[in-house]
Amino acid sequence: MPNIKTLAAREEKQARFAPGHSLCAGCAEPMVVRTILNAIEDPVVVANATGCLEVATSRYPGSSWNVPWIHSAFENVAATIAGVEAAYNALRRVGKVDRRIRFVAFAGDGGTYDIGLQSLSGALERGHDFLYVCLNNEAYMNTGVQRSSATPACASATTSPVGDAIPGKPQDRKDLTSIVAAHHVPYVAQASVANLIDLANKVERAMSYEGPKFINVHVTCPLGWRTKRDSAVPMAKLALETRYWPLYEVEEGRYKVNYKPKKDVPVEEWLKGQGRFRHLFKNPDLKSKIDDFQAAVDRNWDELLRKERWTQEDAPETP
Amino acid sequence: MRKVMTGHKAVAEAMRQIEPNVVAVYPITPQSEIAEYYAEYVHNGLVSTELVPVESEHSAMSACVGASAAGARVMTATASQGLALMVEILYIAASMRLPIVMALANRALSGPINIHCDHSDAYLARDAGAIQIFAESAQEAYDYTLIAQRLAEHNQVRLPAIVNLDGFTLTHSVQVVEPLDDEPAKKFVGSYKPIYPLLDVDNPSTWGPFAMPDYYFELKRAQVAGIEAVPETFLEVQKEYEKATGRNYRGFFEAYQLEDAERVLVVMGSTAGTAKVAVDELRAAGEKVGLLKVWLYRPFPYAEVAEALSHVKQVAVLDRAISFGAQGALYSDIATAFAHRDRRPALFNYIYGLGGRDTTTEHLTQTLSELKSARPGEELRYIGLRE
Ligand SMILES: Cc1ncc(C[n+]2csc(CCOP(=O)(O)OP(=O)(O)O)c2C)c(N)n1
Ligand code: SF4
Ligand SMILES: [Mg+2]
C-alpha cells in the first residue's frame, strides 16, 4: 500500500500534474488528482470531462498535464476513455503497442451524476478496463455554482437559491455510488480529500482489478460551498466525522466501511461552516430542515452498515 | 468480381477490407445492417477490429474521438437522429483533425419521425468541418468509402469524412456491385500513421485544450487549412484509385450530357440515377438537357461547378431538405458559386423527396421542361408535393 514516502517519491520522479494551473486557491482538486496519478505506477492516459479541472489545467497553449490527456466534451468522458481503451486493445492485438498502459477518467459531479450518467453506465456495462474518478464538489462549479443532483438538500446554489418561497435545493442528493455499484463492476468506492492515504490505497486496489473501477471523491470547493480558503481538508473531514460522506468500498460486491467515527457528531457541525447553508441557521423556521437533513444522513449510514453486514460476514460489529 | 448486394453490404465489405482498429456503432434504421454485418465480421474473427457496441450515437462518436486520438484507425456509421446526437462531437473530431470515416444512410430528421430518405441529416452536419461525399449507387458507396479513408487520413487533410448514401434507395436495394479483391483494396488504403497519439506515453500530448479569445480564432483558421487541402487531395486519390482499379472517377462531380446542355438539373445522391433517365428521354426528343451530380459536397467545389454550368441557360438545383427560412442548402452553394461571375444561368430551387417521397422520371422531365418558361425568382418550388 502506498504511503506518504512512496507518493512523494513518485511525485518527484513522475511529476504527472504540473504546478501552474488556475484552479482557485484552496481548491481540493489538485491534491486529489496528484494523489491518484501518483498511486498508479504504470503509464496512464487521462480523459477529462468539461469542468473546473479541465478548464483550469488546459488553457491553450499551456497544459498542466505531463501525461497524455484528452478532453472532448462535458457528458462523454466515459465513452471517450472507452474509445482510448478500445484503441489500446486493438493496437496491442496487432502488435503496435506493447507497454502496459492504464486509463483514468476525471469528471465532476455534474459530468457524472447528471449529463454523463448514460455514457458512464454504458462504459461500465461494456466492461472497459479503466478507472473513473468523480470529483464531487456537489454542484456545477465551473459555470457558477448551479445545483446538480449531487448537491445536498437545502444548499443554496445559483439555480436553487434561497428565496422566500423555496429556501435552497428542495431535493435530496442522488446516491450515485450505489447506482454504480448496481453495475456489479469489480471495484467501487467513496473517498475524500480529507484522507489522501485512504484515497491512494483505494486507487491501488482499484487498479489491481481488470474492468471498470469507480471512485467518488468528495472534494471541497471553498468558492461554491462558501467556506474559508484554508478549509478544504477540515471541511471534508467534518463530512466524514458527521457520516455525511462515508468512506467505503465495494470490492467484488462486498461492502466495507473504511471509517466509522467513534463519536456521534451531528451533521450541523459540517453544515454550519458553509455559507451555502447559512439560511438554515439564521431563520428559526428552517430549523426543522436541519433535523430532516440529519435523519437522511442517519438513514444512509444505517443502510450502508446493513449492506456491509449482508455482504461481508466477517466485517467488524457496528459501533 | 461482380456481385449482387445491397448498399449496406457494399459499405460493410469496404469496411471489412479497410479493417479499422476500432468501430463504435449504434443501430438506427436504415443504417443498422452496416453495424450488424460488421458485428458478424468481428464475431466470426474475420477482422481484428475492436467493436465498441455503445449505448448511443453520442457515445459512438465520443469513443471514435478517443480511439482516433489514441492512434487507431476508426470508423462508424449512422443516420438521421443518430447523426443529430453525434453532431456535437463531430465538430470536436474535426477540430482535433481526426480522420474518422463514417457512412451516413441518409434519413429524414424528426419530426414527424420518419425512417425514409432525405438529406436533412447531411445538411445538419454541413458546417461541422467534416468532408462530405454523396454516392449515387451502391458501387459508388463502396468505392468512395475506400477513397474517403485515404482522403481523410492524408497528412495535409486529417479530417472526418462522411460518405452519404440514400437510406433504403441505396442501403436496402439489391444492386450489382463490383468490389475489389481484398488484397488490392488493402493495398490501396494502406496503413494509418497517427500523429501525437495518446498511446505514445513517452511523449505526452494534450488533446482538446481550452482556448480563449486569444487563440481560438487562430486554431479555427488552422482548421481551414485542412479542409482547403481536400480538393487537390481528392483528385489525387481518385487518380490513384483509377490506377489501382481502372475505375474512372474524375472530378468533384459527374457531368452528364452537360457539355452542350441548355437546361440542367443539379442533384446529389441516388436521384441522379433517375435524372439520367429523364435526361436520356428528353435528349432522345432532341432537347438539350443535362445533369450535374455532386460527389464532393464539403468542401464545395464552387469554381469548378460554376465553370461547368456557366454556358447553361437554366439550372434547377434540387435540394432534398428544407433549410427553413432560407433557400435550399445546395441552391445557396450554387448561387454562391456564381456570385462573382457575369455569365450565369438562371437558377431555380426545387425541394424534392422529403421523408422518402418518390421522385420519378416524369417528375424530372417535367421539371426540365418547365424550366424553359419558368420565371426566375427566389421562391421555393416543390416536386411531387400535394398542395
Ligand atoms: C452539453 C453541455 N452542456 C452544458 C455545458 C456547460 N457546462 C460546462 S462545465 C459545466 C458544469 C460542470 O460541473 P461539474 O461536472 O460538477 O464540474 P465542476 O466544474 O463542478 O468541477 C457546465 C454546466 C457544456 N459544456 N456542455
Ligand atoms: S470553483 Fe471550486 S472546484 Fe472550481 S476551481 Fe474553484 S474551488 Fe476548485
Ligand atoms: Mg461539480
Side-chain angles (χ1 to χ4, degrees), chain A residues 236-253:
Chain A
K237 213 164 222 157
L238 269 175
L240 306 184
E241 296 299 340
T242 58
R243 300 168 182 151
Y244 168 80
W245 189 261
L247 296 182
Y248 72 97
E249 54 197 339
V250 191
E251 212 169 336
E252 295 186 304

Side-chain angles (χ1 to χ4, degrees), chain B residues 23 37-51:
Chain B
V23 167
Y37 279 125
Y38 210 80
E40 268 181 40
Y41 300 151
V42 171
H43 283 237
N44 287 315
L46 299 184
V47 286
S48 64
T49 304
E50 188 82 3
L51 181 69

Side-chain angles (χ1 to χ4, degrees), chain A residues 29 50-53 74-75 107-111 115 135 137 139-143, chain B residues 88:
Chain A
E29 294 195 352
T50 311
C52 277
L53 179 66
F74 184 21
E75 67 279 45
D109 49 293
I115 202 166
L135 297 168
N137 53 23
Y140 302 162
M141 297 311 180
N142 180 53
T143 41
Chain B
E88 185 199 20

Side-chain angles (χ1 to χ4, degrees), chain B residues 9 39 76 82 149 187 197 204 225 238 247 254 262-263 292 326 367 378:
Chain B
K9 178 74 177 171
T76 184
Q149 196 69 40
K187 198 166 157 236
Q238 275 182 330
R247 287 176 199 176
E254 182 184 349
E262 292 174 353
R263 279 166 290 132
L292 188 148
T367 302
E378 305 289 72

Side-chain angles (χ1 to χ4, degrees), chain B residues 4 24 29-30 38 58 68-69 82 110 158 178 183 191 209 276 306 314 328 356 361 363:
Chain B
V4 172
T29 304
Y38 210 80
H58 195 281
S68 186
S110 301
R158 292 189 181 273
E178 194 170 352
E183 211 197 295
S191 65
K276 285 174 186 170
Q314 285 116 353
T361 316
H363 283 137

